[in-house]
Amino acid sequence: MSFRTSLRTLPAFTLGLALSISPAFAQRTTLKAKDDKLKAKTTAADGTVSKTKATGLVAAPQPTSPVASAPQAVQAAPNLEAAGWLADLGAAQAQAKATNRPILAVFSGSDWCKPCIMYEQEVFAKPEFSAYAKDKLVLAHFDFPRQKRNQPSAAQLKLNEAAAAQLNREGEFPLAVVISPEGKVLAKTGYIAGGPTAFEAYLKKVVPTL
C-alpha cells in the first residue's frame, strides 16, 4: 500500500519531536515521511534552517474520523464481499454504466480502524441497507488490513491500490465515495453515525433520485 502520510497520520510523540526542534514561535516546520523515516525542516524567523531526521517513528495510515482511536485489537468487520460487494473498481464502473446506477465505494481497515468496523457493522452489513441498495447502487469495497493473517492476495492488493490511487490518494479511513454512472466523483464522506437511516438520508442529498 503506497499512501502519502499526512500530519494527521503521525503519532503524537512524532509531532512533538518535530515541533520541539526550535523554541521560537515564529518558525515554520515542514514534515516529510516516507516508509519508516521522518525528515523535519524548520525555518526560524531569522531565516536559519535546521534539519532533523528520525527513523522508526512513522505509523501506518490512521483513521481520520473524529471518533477514531489508536490502532488496537478489534472485532473483525463483516465480510462485505460475501454479501455481494465488488472488490474491483473496473467491474463496478462497468456495472454502473450498464445499470445506470451510482457507485458507492468504501475504503476500510477491517482489523485496525475502529470507525471503519463501526461503519460496516452499523450500516453496510445491515439487512436494511442491503435491501435499500439492491436496486439503487453498485457497491464496491476495498479493505486495507494490517495483520498478516488478513492480508489479501497479491492480485486483490493490486486492485485495492488501483482504486485508492483513483479515489483515495489521501489515505483516509473510513471513506465512502459516491460516483456517478459516468465515473464522476459526486461526494466523499467519513463515518456517519445513525445507522442505515442516516446514511440513506446522506445519499439522497448527494443523489436526489435515490
Side-chain angles (χ1 to χ4, degrees), residues 29-175:
T29 300
T30 302
L31 298 178
K32 291 185 179 180
K34 184 176 181 181
D35 299 327
D36 64 342
K37 297 180 180 180
L38 175 70
K39 295 181 180 180
K41 182 175 75 172
T42 301
T43 303
D46 60 1
T48 303
V49 177
S50 60
K51 298 181 179 180
T52 300
K53 296 182 180 180
T55 60
L57 299 176
V58 180
Q62 302 293 307
T64 57
S65 166
V67 299
S69 61
Q72 55 184 294
V74 289
Q75 181 181 356
N79 186 349
L80 297 185
E81 284 78 8
W85 289 62
L86 299 174
D88 181 339
L89 182 59
Q93 291 170 329
Q95 188 175 127
K97 288 182 179 179
T99 59
N100 196 35
R101 298 175 190 168
I103 300 170
L104 173 65
V106 176
F107 291 85
S108 182
S110 64
D111 63 5
W112 61 272
C113 170
K114 188 173 181 179
C116 300
I117 296 171
M118 292 169 59
Y119 224 167
E120 295 179 3
Q121 291 177 339
E122 296 173 6
V123 180
F124 306 130
K126 289 290 187 181
E128 306 95 301
F129 181 76
S130 297
Y132 168 80
K134 182 178 179 181
D135 299 319
K136 295 181 174 68
L137 298 167
V138 174
L139 302 175
H141 183 252
F142 304 100
D143 188 23
F144 292 85
R146 287 184 182 172
Q147 296 182 30
K148 186 176 181 179
R149 65 182 180 180
N150 297 328
Q151 291 303 305
S153 65
Q156 185 58 58
L157 180 60
K158 188 172 293 186
L159 290 173
N160 291 352
E161 290 184 336
Q166 185 171 337
L167 300 174
N168 189 13
R169 295 180 181 177
E170 295 79 13
E172 297 180 344
F173 295 90
L175 182 68

